[in-house]
Amino acid sequence: MPRKSLLVLPLANFSSDPENEYFSDGLTEELINVLSRIEGLGIIARTSAFSLKGQELSLETIGEKLKVSHLLEGSVQKAGSRVRVRLKLVAIEDGFTLWAESYDREMADIFDLQDDIAAEVLQALEIYFRQNFSSSHYTDNISAYEAFLKGHYFFKKDYEGTVKALEFFREATRLDRNYAEAYAYTGECLIHHAAYGLIGTSEAHEEARKLAQLALAINPYEAQAYKLLTYISLFYDWDWEAARDSYHKALHFGLSAYNEFISYYHIFLNGDYQEAISIAKKALESDPLHAEAHWQLGLCYVFARNFKDGIRAFNKALELDARFTEALRWKATALGFSGKIKEAQEYMDRALELSAEDPYQNFNSLLLRLQMGEIDKVREALNSRHFIDSADPAQVYAQMGEKEACFSYLEKAWQERSVMMVSLKHYWIWEKVQEDPRFEDFLARMKFPEKGWEDIPRLSAEVAEPDEEVKAVLSELESLMTEEEAYLDPGLNLRNLAEKLDLHPNKLSWLINEHCAMNFNEYINQYRLESFKEKALDPQNRNLTLLALAYDSGFNSKSVFNEFFKRSTGLSPRAWLKSRPNS
C-alpha cells in the first residue's frame, strides 16, 4: 500500500435541505483538485471517489479496493447564511484520526467559501504530509527512536559531535534493522567523518552508498537517502547527471529546497555565490536558532571571499553554541585572511583545544600560520605529517605558490577521489596555480558540465524593475495592509482583496509572487504574525490566550497559525514568548 496516498470521500450533507448537496459535492471536488498539488501524494481521482458515495464501507475494504493509505472524510452542515464543514484525516491501516479541523463561515459567496476552505485544507495537509512522510521516522522500537534522536542532536555539531552521532545512528539500526532513515543518516555521518580526516574518502563514500541503497530498499520514499546519493554522485563519483536525478527525487519526497547541498552545488559547479548565499539565508528563516545553519551561511561567504559577512555569520553561530569548533575554526580562517592575525590565533587556539587536534595537521590552522608568516614551519609540517585527504596539503601549497608540490598532491587527490576536486573550477584558493597548464589538465579530466541545472528553481534571479502601474498597485496594497489593516479580516481572500484593488485575482496573485517572492497566504499571514507578536508582548493582553490573540490578528485556523509561526520563527508560539525578555 503506498505510504502517501489519499482518498477524499464525498462529504456528507448534514443540512436540512437535501438540495444543498451541490455544495458538499462541489467542495469535495475542490478538495480533490487542490490536494493533488502536494508533491509525492497520490490522490484518488474524482470518479473513483464518487463511486463510493452513499456506501457504508469499512476502512479495510476501502484500503483493499483502492490501495490507498489515508482517507479524508467529513460533513457539511448549512443553516441559513452559516455553514459548518468538519474534516478529518484517517489512517486506513489502524483507523487513527491523524488530523481534524472544523470551519465555520458566513456563506456570502459559495465559490469564495469553497476556495477558502480548500486553500486552508491544502495548507494544513501539505504541512502534515511533509512533516510526517518527508522522511521515514518509522520504527516501532522506542529505544531505536531514542538512539536516532540522540544521533540527530549531535549530528553536524562539530568534530566531537559527529563521532557521537555515528555511534547513536548505528545503535538505532542495530536495534531496528528496518530503520531506513537511521541508515541514511549513518551514511551521511560517515561522509562527515571523511571530511574530518577520521576515515578515508573512498571507504566513507562506498560504505555510505551501501547504506543509502539499503535505506531505499526498505523505504523507496526516503528523502534523506536520495540526498545522500546526491552527495556521493556529485562529490565522489563526479557524475553530474546522476547527482541531478537523485537531487530531484530527494526534493520530490520532502527534502527542503533550502539545503546545504544545493548551496555547495552553486558555489563549486556554477560559481554562483549569491545564489548559494540566498539559499543559506532562506534556510535560516525557518531555522533561526540552529548554529550549524549560521555556520553554513558563513562558509558561503568565505567561499565568495566575503570575509566580513562570513565573520558575522560565524559570530551568530557562536552566540548559539560557544563550543562549536567548526565555527571557531572558520571564523579564525576568515579573520586571518582579513589581516586580523592576533584575533584569528585566539579563535584557532580555542578550536584546537576543544578538538584536541595537532595544529600542524589541521588544514585551517596551516592556512592561518601562512598568514602569520610561519612558512618554514608549515612546509616542515607538510613534509612530515600524513594527510588522509591529499587535497588539504594541495590547497596549502597552492596558497604558498609552490606548484610542483601542489600538483603532486592534486594527482593523489584525483586518485583518492577527494571531494575537494569539485572545487577546482571556481574556488579562489587555487588562484595562484590556475594559469599552469597542469591545472587546465585537471579541469579537463573532471569533465565539469558546461551548463548548470536549469530545472533548479533560483532565489536570487533578477526581477525586472516594476513599471509605474505596478508600483502604484504595490503601494496601494501596502497601504491596505499597514494603514487599513485588511489582514485582520479572517475572511480575507485573494478574490475580495483583488476587488479592493480593482484587479483580476490572477493578476494580484502574480504580482505578489513576482514582486514579494511569496504566495498570497504567506503575504497575508506575515502581517498577521507581526500583529500577533505585538499583541502577545503587550502586558494588557496577559489575560488572553495565545490562540485568542492569533484570532484577533486575523488568523482563522489554529493549525495554520501554529504551523506558519513555527515555519517563520523556528519556535512554537509559547516557546517564542518565553524567549522574549520580561515576558
Side-chain angles (χ1 to χ4, degrees):
M1 182 182 295
R3 284 185 41 232
K4 291 178 66 177
S5 52
L6 178 67
L7 165 67
V8 182
L9 272 183
L11 301 180
N13 175 30
F14 285 359
S15 306
S16 56
D17 187 353
E19 290 186 5
N20 286 329
E21 201 157 302
Y22 73 92
F23 176 78
S24 57
D25 284 354
L27 181 55
T28 302
E29 291 193 40
E30 187 65 11
L31 288 170
I32 292 172
N33 290 335
V34 298
L35 293 176
S36 63
R37 302 173 194 167
I38 300 179
E39 292 188 356
L41 177 64
I43 298 288
I44 301 300
R46 179 199 181 282
T47 305
S48 297
F50 275 84
S51 70
L52 303 180
K53 186 175 180 178
Q55 297 187 41
E56 296 292 332
L57 299 177
S58 67
L59 291 176
E60 182 179 2
T61 302
I62 291 174
E64 291 176 354
K65 192 178 183 72
L66 295 176
K67 306 300 181 187
V68 67
S69 62
H70 292 77
L71 172 71
L72 183 68
E73 61 180 356
S75 63
V76 176
Q77 187 171 11
K78 183 174 176 288
S81 63
R82 299 288 300 178
V83 64
R84 169 172 293 177
V85 178
R86 290 189 176 93
L87 296 170
K88 66 177 180 178
L89 180 70
V90 178
I92 293 287
E93 186 175 10
D94 53 23
F96 282 146
T97 297
L98 304 172
W99 171 88
E101 188 65 86
S102 294
Y103 303 89
D104 291 282
R105 296 287 192 277
E106 284 286 336
M107 196 167 173
D109 184 310
I110 180 175
F111 298 108
D112 279 352
L113 182 59
Q114 287 180 350
D115 290 348
D116 290 350
I117 293 178
E120 287 195 26
V121 174
L122 169 63
Q123 187 174 18
L125 291 194
E126 187 168 29
I127 290 168
Y128 172 80
F129 276 104
R130 283 185 176 176
Q131 284 184 341
N132 291 279
F133 291 92
S134 61
S135 57
S136 57
H137 279 312
Y138 280 116
T139 179
D140 295 323
N141 188 312
I142 299 299
S143 296
Y145 184 56
E146 287 179 352
F148 174 84
L149 290 178
K150 290 176 182 176
H152 201 271
Y153 172 79
F154 287 109
F155 184 56
K156 292 185 182 178
K157 266 188 174 293
D158 52 22
Y159 176 93
E160 184 180 342
T162 302
V163 173
K164 291 181 179 178
L166 183 60
E167 294 173 0
F168 285 119
F169 287 138
R170 281 182 165 157
E171 176 70 4
T173 58
R174 186 187 67 79
L175 292 168
D176 184 348
R177 298 296 184 187
N178 291 311
Y179 203 164
E181 189 175 21
Y183 283 117
Y185 271 98
T186 303
E188 188 169 345
C189 217
L190 286 170
I191 290 178
H192 284 282
H193 270 54
Y196 284 118
L198 297 171
I199 186 175
T201 297
S202 179
E203 181 183 354
H205 284 75
E206 291 299 344
E207 181 63 22
R209 191 197 311 275
K210 293 177 183 177
L211 290 166
Q213 292 168 345
L214 177 57
L216 290 173
I218 297 168
N219 174 17
Y221 303 98
E222 181 50 64
Q224 193 69 26
Y226 283 115
K227 178 190 174 189
L228 180 56
L229 287 177
T230 304
Y231 266 107
I232 295 168
S233 296
L234 190 94
F235 289 102
Y236 179 70
D237 295 337
W238 308 328
D239 187 336
W240 323 119
E241 292 303 312
R244 183 184 64 182
D245 291 345
S246 293
Y247 184 67
H248 276 297
K249 290 176 181 177
L251 291 178
H252 183 71
F253 292 117
L255 178 69
S256 168
Y258 314 121
N259 60 81
E260 74 280 4
F261 164 79
I262 201 62
S263 288
Y264 293 148
Y265 162 80
H266 283 297
I267 289 169
F268 294 133
L269 264 70
N270 289 350
D272 192 343
Y273 305 109
Q274 187 53 53
E275 179 68 7
I277 290 166
S278 297
I279 290 169
K281 286 182 175 179
K282 191 71 176 177
L284 273 170
E285 291 179 11
S286 60
D287 206 2
L289 300 179
H290 191 187
E292 195 262 344
H294 289 281
W295 172 69
Q296 288 288 349
L297 175 60
L299 283 184
C300 292
Y301 279 124
V302 169
F303 289 133
R305 217 169 190 165
N306 181 348
F307 302 120
K308 183 178 179 180
D309 286 331
I311 291 168
R312 288 176 181 155
F314 297 136
N315 284 341
K316 289 286 187 181
L318 291 169
E319 286 175 14
L320 295 166
D321 184 357
R323 296 174 60 86
F324 189 2
T325 55
E326 285 302 286
L328 289 167
R329 194 190 323 276
W330 280 95
K331 179 179 178 179
T333 302
L335 285 167
F337 279 104
S338 300
K340 300 177 180 180
I341 303 300
K342 184 177 180 180
E343 188 179 357
Q345 185 62 55
E346 292 174 0
Y347 280 95
M348 184 62 72
D349 288 346
R350 197 184 312 169
L352 295 173
E353 181 183 354
L354 288 169
S355 60
E357 290 181 86
D358 177 356
Y360 288 99
Q361 192 154 0
N362 178 273
F363 164 69
N364 298 80
S365 177
L366 289 174
L367 284 181
L368 177 57
R369 291 178 187 279
L370 280 183
Q371 306 301 317
M372 295 167 62
E374 297 182 2
I375 297 177
D376 290 338
K377 289 184 178 179
V378 170
R379 188 180 291 111
E380 180 184 350
L382 290 171
N383 290 331
S384 62
R385 285 164 174 79
H386 172 68
F387 293 85
I388 290 182
D389 187 346
S390 295
D392 285 351
Q395 292 175 79
V396 178
Y397 277 122
Q399 281 293 292
M400 295 169 69
E402 299 190 5
K403 295 182 180 180
E404 294 302 322
C406 172
F407 288 117
S408 174
Y409 273 105
L410 261 184
E411 183 62 42
K412 293 179 182 178
W414 162 267
Q415 298 295 334
E416 297 165 1
R417 306 196 74 83
S418 167
V419 298
M420 287 307 294
M421 293 300 293
V422 302
S423 75
L424 293 180
K425 192 176 182 181
H426 293 294
Y427 190 14
W428 54 265
I429 202 86
W430 306 108
E431 61 184 359
K432 294 182 180 179
V433 299
Q434 285 175 336
E435 299 302 320
D436 192 291
R438 288 170 292 183
F439 192 83
E440 292 295 325
D441 178 62
F442 277 111
L443 290 178
R445 287 156 68 179
M446 288 297 293
K447 299 180 181 178
F448 286 111
E450 294 182 5
K451 295 193 303 181
W453 296 345
E454 297 177 352
D455 48 358
I456 298 294
R458 295 177 53 80
L459 285 177
S460 61
E462 294 185 7
V463 178
E465 179 70 18
D467 57 30
E468 293 305 315
E469 180 185 357
V470 171
K471 286 181 179 178
V473 172
L474 292 174
S475 177
E476 188 178 355
L477 176 61
E478 184 178 2
S479 177
L480 280 172
M481 294 297 111
T482 59
E483 296 177 19
E484 299 185 28
E485 299 182 324
Y487 58 86
L488 293 177
D489 176 6
L492 183 68
N493 59 39
L494 181 64
R495 188 171 299 167
N496 55 42
L497 182 59
E499 288 176 356
K500 293 177 185 289
L501 296 166
D502 195 24
L503 284 178
H504 190 282
N506 289 346
K507 185 169 184 179
L508 176 59
S509 178
W510 175 83
L511 284 172
I512 292 174
N513 274 276
E514 184 73 9
H515 296 284
C516 303
M518 59 187 79
N519 62 35
F520 171 76
N521 285 330
E522 291 170 337
Y523 179 79
I524 299 300
N525 285 339
Q526 67 172 340
Y527 288 99
R528 290 170 173 165
L529 182 62
E530 292 308 311
S531 174
F532 166 83
K533 288 180 177 179
E534 184 177 340
K535 288 180 170 63
L537 295 175
D538 187 343
Q540 296 183 17
N541 293 327
R542 284 182 176 172
N543 293 329
L544 296 176
T545 66
L546 295 183
L547 188 57
L549 295 177
Y551 287 145
D552 285 347
S553 302
F555 286 100
N556 53 23
S557 164
K558 178 181 177 181
S559 59
V560 169
F561 164 64
N562 283 329
E563 297 301 342
F564 186 80
F565 195 101
K566 181 72 177 292
R567 185 151 37 99
S568 302
T569 67
L571 297 170
S572 68
R574 194 168 301 281
W576 173 85
L577 186 59
K578 287 182 178 179
S579 71
R580 300 300 94 184
N582 303 320
S583 62

